[in-house]
C-alpha cells in the first residue's frame, strides 16, 4: 500500500486546493454582490446630496444675483458667478438679465460625458433658476433674469470612482478574511477528518482489510463523518469475513479434508501446469507414487480412528521431505499419496524417495500385521521424463504407478524406478 501514499498526498493537495478556491470564489462573489449593493446605495445618496447642495447654493446667492441683474451690474454678477465657479464640482455658470443678455459667464472645457457619468449624473447636471427681485412691499416680486449652472461630470465621476475603489478594496479584503476563516474552519472540522479517513483506507492491506488503521475523529463521533468511519469499518470487516470464507472454500477445494495436504483434483491441475512449464524449458519432471504397506490389515487390526491418525502422521512426515516452494505432495486416494517434483531427474527423485521412506520408518508406528516389518512402511514407484510437445503426463503417471505395483509385488518397503528415454 505504500505505493499509494504519494497519490494520496496529491489527492490531499487537490482537495485542499479545490476547497480553498471554491470558498474564495464564493466569498468573492458574495462580497461583490454586497459591494454592488453598497455602491448603488452610495450613488443614490450622492445624487441626493448633490441636488440638495446645489439647490441650497442657488438659493443662497439668488438675492445677490437678482440685485446684479436688476441693476444691470456686470461687476457684481461676475463676482457672484466666480464664487460659484470656484467650486470644484461646477463646470459652467452664467447670469443673465430679463432680456437674455449675459452679465457674467464662466466655463471650463469638459470632455464628452462618459457612459458612467451619463448613467449616474446625466439628469442632475444642469440647473436654471429665475432671479426674482423685491422692490418694496407694495409691489410683488418680479423676474429680473436667470442664473444657469452646470456641474462638472468629470469631477463627480471621479468622486464616485474613488468611493467605488474604496468599497471594492474593502470588499476584497473582507472576502479574503472571510474565506480564510471559512477555509481554516472547514479544513479543521471537515476536510482534515476526510483526509484522515482517505489516508487510512489508502494504507489498508487488501489481503487483511479488517486490520485497517481506523481513524479517531474528535468531535465527529455522532455525526455523519463518525457514521462514515463506522460504516467503512463494518464494510471492511464484512469484506474480511468474505475473504476468509473464500480462502476457506479455496482450501477445501484444493486440500484433503483428513490430512490437510493437496487433494487429487489440485494434483491434476498442478501436474498439468508443471508439465507444460517443463516442456517449454526442456526440463525434467518426476512423479513418485506412494502407498502405505498393508494398510487395510492395519485398519482392521487397530481400527479406523487410529488409521486416520496414522494417515495424518504419514502425510506430515512426507510433506516435510519436499520443497513446499516448488514440489507438491497430494493424497491420491485411500492410503495412496503422490508427489510431483518439477526439475528433478531420476537420480534426484530417487534421493527424495529414499528420504521419504526413512522419514516414515522413523515414525516407528507399530504394525502387527505388516508383511515386511513390524512397523509401518511404504512402497514407492518413481518415474522421471522430459516432456515433448503434444505429449501429456499420462504416460509418466502410468510408469510411476507400474513401478509402485512392482515394488509391492517384490516384497514392499522398497522403491522401484523408471526413467523415460
Amino acid at each position: 500500500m505504500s505505493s499509494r501514499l504519494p497519490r494520496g498526498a496529491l489527492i490531499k493537495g487537490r482537495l485542499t486546493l479545490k476547497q480553498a478556491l471554491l470558498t474564495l470564489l464564493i466569498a468573492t462573489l458574495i462580497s461583490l454582490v454586497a459591494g454592488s449593493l453598497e455602491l448603488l446605495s452610495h450613488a443614490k445618496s450622492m445624487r441626493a446630496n448633490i441636488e440638495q447642495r446645489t439647490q441650497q447654493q442657488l438659493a443662497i446667492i439668488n438675492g445677490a444675483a437678482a440685485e446684479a441683474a436688476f441693476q444691470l451690474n456686470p461687476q457684481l454678477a461676475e463676482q457672484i458667478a466666480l464664487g460659484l465657479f470656484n467650486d470644484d464640482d461646477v463646470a459652467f455658470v452664467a447670469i443673465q438679465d430679463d432680456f437674455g443678455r449675459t452679465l457674467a459667464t464662466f466655463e471650463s472645457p469638459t470632455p464628452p460625458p462618459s457612459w458612467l457619468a451619463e448613467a449616474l449624473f446625466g439628469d442632475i447636471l444642469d440647473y436654471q433658476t429665475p432671479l426674482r427681485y423685491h422692490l418694496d412691499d407694495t409691489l410683488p416680486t418680479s423676474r429680473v433674469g436667470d442664473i444657469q449652472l452646470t456641474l462638472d461630470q468629470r469631477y463627480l465621476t471621479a468622486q464616485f470612482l474613488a468611493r467605488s475603489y474604496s468599497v471594492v478594496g474593502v470588499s476584497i479584503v473582507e472576502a479574503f478574511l472571510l474565506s480564510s476563516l471559512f477555509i481554516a474552519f472547514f479544513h479543521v472540522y471537515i476536510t482534515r477528518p476526510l483526509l484522515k479517513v482517505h489516508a487510512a483506507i489508502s494504507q489498508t492491506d487488501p489481503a487483511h482489510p479488517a486490520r485497517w488503521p481506523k481513524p479517531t475523529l474528535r468531535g465527529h463521533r455522532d455525526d455523519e463523518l463518525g457514521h462514515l468511519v463506522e460504516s467503512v469499518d463494518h464494510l471492511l470487516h464484512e469484506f474480511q469475513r468474505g475473504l476468509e470464507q473464500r480462502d476457506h472454500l479455496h482450501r477445501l477445494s484444493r486440500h484433503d479434508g483428513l490430512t490437510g495436504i493437496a487433494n487429487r483434483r489440485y494434483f491434476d491441475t498442478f501436474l498439468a501446469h508443471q508439465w507444460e512449464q517443463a516442456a517449454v524449458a526442456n526440463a525434467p519432471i518426476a512423479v513418485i507414487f506412494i502407498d502405505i504397506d498393508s494398510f487395510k490389515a492395519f485398519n482392521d487390526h487397530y481400527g479406523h480412528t487410529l488409521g486416520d491418525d496414522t494417515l495424518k502422521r504419514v502425510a506430515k512426515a512426507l510433506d516435510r521431505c519436499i520443497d513446499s516452494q516448488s514440489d507438491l505432495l497430494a493424497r491420491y486416494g485411500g492410503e495412496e499419496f503422490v508427489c510431483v517434483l518439477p526439475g528433478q531427474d531420476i537420480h534426484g527423485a530417487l534421493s527424495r524417495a529414499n528420504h521419504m521412506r526413512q522419514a516414515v520408518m522413523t515414525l516407528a508406528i507399530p504394525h502387527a500385521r505388516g508383511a515386511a516389518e513390524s512397523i509401518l512402511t511404504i512402497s514407492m514407484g518413481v518415474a522421471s521424463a522430459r516432456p515433448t510437445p503434444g505429449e501429456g503426463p499420462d504416460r509418466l503417471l502410468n510408469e510411476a504407478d507400474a513401478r509402485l505395483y512392482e515394488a509391492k509385488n517384490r516384497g514392499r518397503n522398497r522403491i522401484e524406478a523408471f526413467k523415460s528415454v
Side-chain angles (χ1 to χ4, degrees), residues 24 81 215:
L24 182 60

Side-chain angles (χ1 to χ4, degrees), residues 32-308:
L32 289 177
V33 172
S36 299
L37 294 177
E38 185 176 350
L39 287 177
L40 290 176
S41 175
H42 169 64
K44 183 177 180 181
S45 175
M46 186 176 178
R47 284 170 53 89
N49 290 335
I50 290 172
E51 288 185 291
Q52 182 181 9
R53 186 181 70 252
T54 304
Q55 293 293 350
Q56 288 176 347
Q57 288 179 322
L58 292 175
I60 291 173
I61 67 166
N62 191 278
E67 181 73 25
F70 177 76
Q71 296 179 4
L72 300 177
N73 187 341
Q75 291 79 14
L76 179 59
E78 286 184 1
Q79 292 178 1
I80 297 171
L82 182 61
L84 284 175
F85 186 74
N86 285 335
D87 288 343
D88 292 332
D89 59 347
V90 177
F92 171 77
V93 177
I95 298 177
Q96 298 174 333
D97 61 17
D98 55 345
F99 298 105
R101 292 174 297 188
T102 301
L103 299 177
T105 182
F106 294 95
E107 181 178 9
S108 63
T110 58
S114 64
W115 67 270
L116 181 60
E118 189 67 29
L120 292 173
F121 311 112
D123 57 336
I124 62 170
L125 293 178
D126 299 315
Y127 297 85
Q128 181 171 352
T129 303
L131 299 175
R132 298 189 178 277
Y133 187 74
H134 181 68
L135 293 174
D136 55 49
D137 295 336
T138 61
L139 297 174
T141 60
S142 59
R143 182 176 178 274
V144 295
D146 296 285
I147 181 170
Q148 298 179 9
L149 183 145
T150 301
L151 299 179
D152 190 343
Q153 52 91 12
R154 178 175 52 186
Y155 175 81
L156 297 179
T157 304
Q159 291 292 103
F160 177 80
L161 289 178
R163 173 61 178 169
S164 300
Y165 296 148
S166 175
V167 170
V168 172
V170 171
S171 298
I172 292 176
V173 173
E174 290 177 347
F176 180 78
L177 293 176
L178 178 64
S179 60
S180 298
L181 290 175
F182 187 80
I183 290 169
F185 178 84
F186 198 88
H187 179 78
V188 170
Y189 288 99
I190 303 296
T191 306
R192 187 167 63 181
L194 283 174
L195 294 175
K196 288 178 66 176
V197 175
H198 173 267
I201 295 175
S202 298
Q203 295 169 12
T204 301
D205 184 357
H208 304 283
R211 300 179 188 174
W212 77 304
K214 181 180 176 181
T216 301
L217 306 181
R218 294 182 180 180
H220 295 284
R221 182 175 180 179
D222 297 322
D223 62 12
E224 287 79 358
L225 284 176
H227 296 162
L228 172 64
V229 172
E230 294 301 324
S231 298
V232 172
D233 183 64
H234 176 73
L235 179 64
L236 292 178
H237 276 84
E238 289 298 320
F239 189 57
Q240 179 71 59
R241 279 192 281 272
L243 291 178
E244 291 172 353
Q245 291 176 358
R246 182 204 64 183
D247 294 340
H248 178 66
L249 293 174
H250 186 60
R251 285 193 298 271
L252 291 178
S253 68
R254 60 185 290 180
H255 288 82
D256 177 60
L258 177 64
T259 62
I261 62 175
N263 58 21
R264 171 73 177 273
R265 176 177 296 181
Y266 184 65
F267 160 76
D268 291 336
T269 302
F270 182 84
L271 177 61
H273 176 71
Q274 294 299 327
W275 184 268
E276 292 178 0
Q277 295 291 102
V280 172
N282 191 28
I285 183 170
V287 172
I288 304 175
F289 267 114
I290 308 162
D291 185 78
I292 300 178
D293 294 328
S294 304
F295 189 71
K296 184 178 182 305
F298 182 93
N299 257 344
D300 293 341
H301 182 73
Y302 294 102
H304 289 283
T305 301
L306 186 58
D308 289 346

